[in-house]
Amino acid sequence: MDPSTPCLSSLRRHTISIILSYLQQQTPSASEHTTLQKPIQPHNRDALSLLITTKRFAYATLPLFRVPRHVCQHYHHNLEDGSSIIIIEKYRFVVLPIQDPVTLLDRLNTKRLRQRILWTAKNTAKNETNTESVTQSATRSACYFYGRSTDELAFEEWAMMQIHHDTKPNDEIEWKIWPAHLELLRFLDDQYENNHDKSINFKRIDQRKRAVQLPSCLLHNTSKVNATSDGSGNGIVLLASYPRSGNTLLRTLLERTTSIVTGSDTRPDRTLSKSLAMQYDLVGEGLVGKAIDAGAIKKKKRQSSSAHLQTRFQTAYDPSLSIVKTHFPERKGWKPVNSSRVLLLIRNPYDSIDSYWNLCCTNTHTTSLDESVYEKYSDKFESLARHEIQIWCDFHYYWLDVCEKEGVPLLVVRYEDLVLDPESEMQRVIAFLRKEDASDSFWKWRIHHALDKSNTPDSKSTTGSTSNLGSYQPRSSSGGILSIGKTLRKNRYSKSTLTHMHDVAATVEATRNKNTNKFASISNMNKTKTNQSYKTILQKFGYDIYNQNFPENFKQPPPVPTFAGKQCKTPGRVTINKTPEIRSVDDEFGRKMTYWRRGETDNDRNPFPTVARRR
C-alpha cells in the first residue's frame, strides 16, 4: 500500500472513536429478552472485529472502551433448546471526550501559521494603502514552506535557528525569525536532541522536505529518551508545584524558549485540563511521556506478556516529553511517572492559597471572585487558609526530603524571582535542564526572544511585566513588586490567621527537629532568627512576615535557597502518583471543594459573582 494513502491505521484515537460509535450495538430492552431464532453473536461484534485485526488496535485502542465490572450489563437470552445464555457487555464504544495531543498540536501550529500571514500583512500594510492587495501580496510562501506537515515545519525552523545562529552561514541562507508567540511547537525529537552534529542534522532537514510522515500511533515504543543509564528511570524532569504557584507561566516560558511541548500528569478530561489544552495552548495536558517500566523489564517472558504489550502499544500514541508538571503529593495524577531531576516552583502561601480559593470557587484559572463572596463565606475562607498552610508546608518538605534521600538533583525556583527577574531565573532553569551553561549566545538569545526582548543578546532592554508572557492573563495584572503579596495588601487574612500560619510552620519545623520547645509559638521565633538550622520553611524561602518583613523584603530579594542532595554512585530517581497523597481521604478542602461549590451554586447554574477582567 502506498504510505501516502489514507487508511484506518493512520487515524488518531479520537477519530477512531467517532467511527466506532456508529458501530455501537443498541442495548437490548427487557421485552427483547426472549427466545432467539438466530445464532447468538458477540455483543458489538462489528466493532470488535475491526479492532482485533492488528495488535495496535487490540492492545492500544480496545482497552480505552472497556466497561468497568461494576457498571457492565448482562443480557439473558433463552435458546430454542430451553437453555439460556448470558451476554456480557465488556466494551462500550463512545466518542472519546478529549482530542489527541498530536491533533491539538497540529491545530495550534496551523493557527499560528495563519496568524503569521495576518501579522505579515499588518506590518506590510503600514506602507500600503490597499489592505486587500497587501493581504494578497503577503503570500504563504513568505511564512512557511509548501508540502510539509506542521511537525516537519516545526523541526526545520528549530534546526535552522540553531544552524543559522551557531555557524553564521553566508547571506545566501536567510532565515526569518518570528515573534515567540508565532513560533511553531514540537514534541521532543529524540534523534535530533541527542545528535549535536549540525551538518548531519542539516542533511536530515533536506531529507525530511519530501518525507511522508509516519503517524506516531504506528511507531513502537523503541525510544530510549526516558531511560537513565541504569535503565530504571527516565529522562523526564518534573515541574512540581503547589497549585496556583505559577507553573503555567513557567511552562509557557519553557515552551517559548525550547519550542518543545511540556506535559502534565493531570487527567486530560477534567474541565481545567481541557481549558488549558483547548483555550490556552498547553496541548500537553495529560501527557507523561513513555512508559516508565519499559527499561525495567528484564525477563523475556515478561516482555511478551499481555500487560507489557498493552503498555508498549498504548505509549506508542504518546509523544516524547522532557518536562512534566505535577501537583503530587498534594493530589495524585492519573499516571505514575519516574524522574531523575526535579524543578520545584514555590510561591508565597498567602497568594497561592488565595488563588487556590478562587480556582475552587470558579473552576477556572483566570476568573476572580467578587468581594461579596469573601464577605459571605469569610468563615469558609479562613478555615481553608488555616488548613492549607499545613498542606503547603508538607508539600514542599516532601520534595526537599525525597530528593535529598534519593540523591535526585533539585532546583528551587521562586515565583517572585521569576516575576521580578525572569531572564536570570530562566538562565538558571535552562542550565539545570540542559546540564550546560545557559549563558552561551544561543540560549541567551532564546531567553531574550521568549521574553519578547530584543533579538540582540547584549541588549539591555527589558520587559515591564511577565503578565503578558503566560498562556493566559493572570488574575493580577499589576506585575512587578505589586503582584507579590497582593493578598496581604488587600487584607484578605485576619491577624489571627496570619499568626496561625506562622505557628503551623514553626510547629512543622519543631516536629522535624524533634524539639517542640524551640518553636512553641511565633513569639519564640525571634530568639532563633539567626539560627540557620532552625529556620522555618517560611524563613527559608523568604516569606516570613514578622521576621523578614515580607513582601517588602522582595524589593531586594533574599538569596534563593539551595538544597544539596546526597551524592550517589548511580543516578537517583523519584516516582510520583504511586504513594498516597498528603491530604486525607475526607479532606473537605481538596477535591471535595467541587461538591461544596456545586451545592452553593445550584450545580453551577448560579455561579458566584466575579470581577470583570481588565483588558
Side-chain angles (χ1 to χ4, degrees):
M1 179 184 295
D2 184 359
S4 62
T5 303
C7 59
L8 188 64
S9 300
S10 63
L11 299 179
R12 304 295 180 189
R13 284 177 292 190
H14 183 268
T15 308
I16 293 177
S17 70
I18 297 176
I19 298 175
L20 295 176
S21 66
Y22 286 97
L23 301 177
Q24 169 67 26
Q25 185 175 330
Q26 295 295 327
T27 302
S29 61
S31 61
E32 294 176 334
H33 294 183
T34 58
T35 301
L36 299 177
Q37 303 299 328
K38 297 181 179 181
I40 296 298
Q41 300 292 347
H43 192 64
N44 287 325
R45 61 171 181 169
D46 294 332
L48 289 172
S49 300
L50 175 67
L51 292 180
I52 63 176
T53 54
T54 64
K55 287 186 177 181
R56 185 180 69 84
F57 282 153
Y59 288 105
T61 305
L62 188 58
L64 299 175
F65 304 97
R66 183 179 290 121
V67 180
R69 290 185 177 181
H70 65 281
V71 296
C72 67
Q73 300 183 19
H74 301 70
Y75 309 120
H76 295 265
H77 293 283
N78 299 322
L79 301 180
E80 293 179 350
D81 59 358
S83 61
S84 62
I85 187 172
I86 300 176
I87 298 179
I88 302 176
E89 182 193 27
K90 293 185 178 181
Y91 301 95
R92 189 176 302 166
F93 298 99
V94 297
V95 179
L96 296 179
I98 57 174
Q99 274 285 0
D100 291 273
V102 176
T103 301
L104 292 177
L105 180 60
D106 289 341
R107 291 180 179 179
L108 172 61
N109 285 336
T110 302
K111 181 178 69 174
R112 292 189 174 184
L113 291 177
R114 175 58 181 168
Q115 291 173 344
R116 287 183 182 183
I117 299 175
L118 300 177
W119 182 82
T120 303
K122 182 179 179 181
N123 290 343
T124 308
K126 296 179 180 179
N127 300 324
E128 299 286 345
T129 57
N130 190 341
T131 306
E132 183 177 356
S133 62
V134 170
T135 305
Q136 294 295 332
S137 63
T139 60
R140 290 176 175 82
S141 60
C143 299
Y144 59 90
F145 291 108
Y146 287 112
R148 288 150 169 89
S149 63
T150 53
D151 74 310
E152 289 174 340
L153 289 172
F155 172 82
E156 290 174 9
E157 291 184 1
W158 176 258
M160 286 300 299
M161 277 191 293
Q162 287 188 302
I163 294 172
H164 192 273
H165 189 278
D166 294 347
T167 61
K168 303 296 182 183
N170 299 330
D171 294 337
E172 298 178 358
I173 303 179
E174 295 183 359
W175 192 257
K176 184 175 180 59
I177 303 300
W178 298 98
H181 69 282
L182 297 180
E183 290 183 334
L184 303 185
L185 299 181
R186 71 195 195 283
F187 291 113
L188 187 66
D189 191 291
D190 310 336
Q191 298 179 16
Y192 176 76
E193 297 299 325
N194 296 328
N195 186 2
H196 300 286
D197 189 341
K198 298 297 188 299
S199 61
I200 295 178
N201 289 325
F202 187 83
K203 294 178 181 178
R204 185 166 176 234
I205 295 173
D206 185 68
Q207 294 174 356
R208 288 172 63 102
K209 286 182 179 180
R210 295 176 178 81
V212 178
Q213 179 190 9
L214 183 64
S216 60
C217 60
L218 297 179
L219 300 176
H220 295 318
N221 185 18
T222 58
S223 171
K224 297 182 180 180
V225 68
N226 292 341
T228 55
S229 58
D230 61 351
S232 60
N234 62 29
I236 288 178
V237 179
L238 289 177
L239 172 55
S241 67
Y242 177 85
R244 312 308 298 158
S245 295
N247 63 73
T248 301
L249 171 61
L250 184 53
R251 285 178 65 187
T252 304
L253 291 177
L254 286 170
E255 290 186 355
R256 285 190 172 198
T257 304
T258 64
S259 295
I260 297 177
V261 174
T262 59
S264 169
D265 68 345
T266 308
R267 212 173 73 187
D269 60 341
R270 295 189 179 276
T271 301
L272 293 174
S273 296
K274 291 170 68 174
S275 67
L276 288 176
M278 302 293 290
Q279 301 178 30
Y280 303 117
D281 300 341
L282 292 173
V283 298
E285 286 296 299
L287 288 180
V288 296
K290 305 296 183 182
I292 65 172
D293 296 328
I297 300 178
K298 298 181 179 180
K299 297 182 180 181
K300 293 183 178 180
K301 63 179 182 179
R302 294 187 61 187
Q303 293 182 353
S304 59
S305 65
S306 175
H308 169 70
L309 288 175
Q310 180 175 333
T311 301
R312 174 185 176 185
F313 282 94
Q314 280 187 335
T315 55
Y317 278 108
D318 298 335
S320 298
L321 298 170
S322 58
I323 300 172
V324 174
K325 180 207 80 173
T326 182
H327 293 314
F328 183 82
E330 185 269 337
R331 60 189 63 199
K332 293 179 69 173
W334 77 312
K335 289 182 179 180
V337 186
N338 284 351
S339 177
S340 56
R341 283 179 294 168
V342 176
L343 265 172
L344 180 60
L345 180 62
I346 61 176
R347 186 185 186 186
N348 71 85
Y350 323 107
D351 290 342
S352 59
I353 291 176
D354 177 70
S355 185
Y356 176 70
W357 163 258
N358 279 265
L359 176 76
C360 294
C361 292
T362 64
N363 201 29
T364 67
H365 292 92
T366 58
T367 308
S368 299
L369 293 170
D370 187 74
E371 290 295 330
S372 60
V373 180
Y374 283 91
E375 296 174 0
K376 182 178 180 179
Y377 298 99
S378 58
D379 293 340
K380 182 74 173 180
F381 176 67
E382 292 288 332
S383 299
L384 179 140
R386 288 170 172 262
H387 176 271
E388 286 302 303
I389 186 61
Q390 180 72 51
I391 303 296
W392 187 90
C393 293
D394 293 343
F395 175 89
H396 293 95
Y397 270 131
Y398 169 86
W399 284 109
L400 298 180
D401 292 343
V402 72
C403 289
E404 181 180 7
K405 177 182 178 181
E406 302 297 336
V408 174
L410 171 71
L411 179 68
V412 176
V413 179
R414 282 189 306 215
Y415 170 80
E416 291 77 13
D417 296 327
L418 192 63
V419 170
L420 296 175
D421 190 5
E423 182 178 354
S424 298
E425 288 304 297
M426 287 304 298
Q427 287 185 359
R428 292 180 61 235
V429 171
I430 294 299
F432 179 76
L433 297 177
R434 304 287 302 181
K435 297 182 180 180
E436 61 187 34
D437 187 8
S439 62
D440 67 18
S441 58
F442 176 74
W443 287 110
K444 191 173 182 180
W445 168 73
R446 285 302 302 172
I447 294 173
H448 273 253
H449 190 62
L451 297 173
D452 284 340
K453 295 185 178 182
S454 171
N455 290 337
T456 304
D458 297 330
S459 173
K460 299 298 182 180
S461 62
T462 59
T463 181
S465 173
T466 57
S467 60
N468 295 323
L469 297 178
S471 296
Y472 54 77
Q473 188 76 11
R475 290 190 171 97
S476 176
S477 58
S478 54
I481 190 65
L482 295 180
S483 64
I484 299 174
K486 59 182 184 296
T487 53
L488 300 178
R489 296 184 176 90
K490 295 179 180 179
N491 296 320
R492 286 276 187 252
Y493 305 101
S494 63
K495 292 184 178 180
S496 60
T497 298
L498 291 176
T499 302
H500 175 80
M501 287 182 170
H502 286 73
D503 284 344
V504 168
T507 303
V508 170
E509 187 66 26
T511 303
R512 289 172 56 83
N513 287 276
K514 298 180 181 180
N515 191 341
T516 56
N517 295 325
K518 286 290 182 180
F519 295 105
S521 66
I522 190 173
S523 59
N524 293 331
M525 291 171 61
N526 292 329
K527 299 179 181 179
T528 57
K529 177 180 177 182
T530 58
N531 192 331
Q532 295 290 331
S533 61
Y534 289 107
K535 278 188 175 181
T536 68
I537 194 168
L538 293 177
Q539 294 173 342
K540 292 175 182 178
F541 293 154
Y543 298 146
D544 191 292
I545 297 176
Y546 303 101
N547 292 320
Q548 296 173 320
N549 194 28
F550 178 84
E552 299 303 321
N553 61 332
F554 271 84
K555 292 180 178 178
Q556 295 293 331
V560 180
T562 56
F563 301 90
K566 66 178 182 180
Q567 299 295 329
C568 300
K569 295 182 179 179
T570 59
R573 70 165 185 172
V574 293
T575 302
I576 61 172
N577 301 329
K578 279 194 172 182
T579 56
E581 304 173 359
I582 57 177
R583 293 185 184 274
S584 60
V585 178
D586 57 347
D587 191 341
E588 64 174 308
F589 300 110
R591 297 194 186 278
K592 287 190 175 182
M593 281 293 292
T594 301
Y595 302 108
W596 174 82
R597 184 195 74 244
R598 291 174 178 173
E600 297 293 327
T601 60
D602 190 18
N603 203 22
D604 291 333
R605 283 187 285 268
N606 299 311
F608 291 123
T610 57
V611 178
R613 294 182 58 79
R614 297 178 180 178
R615 295 186 180 275

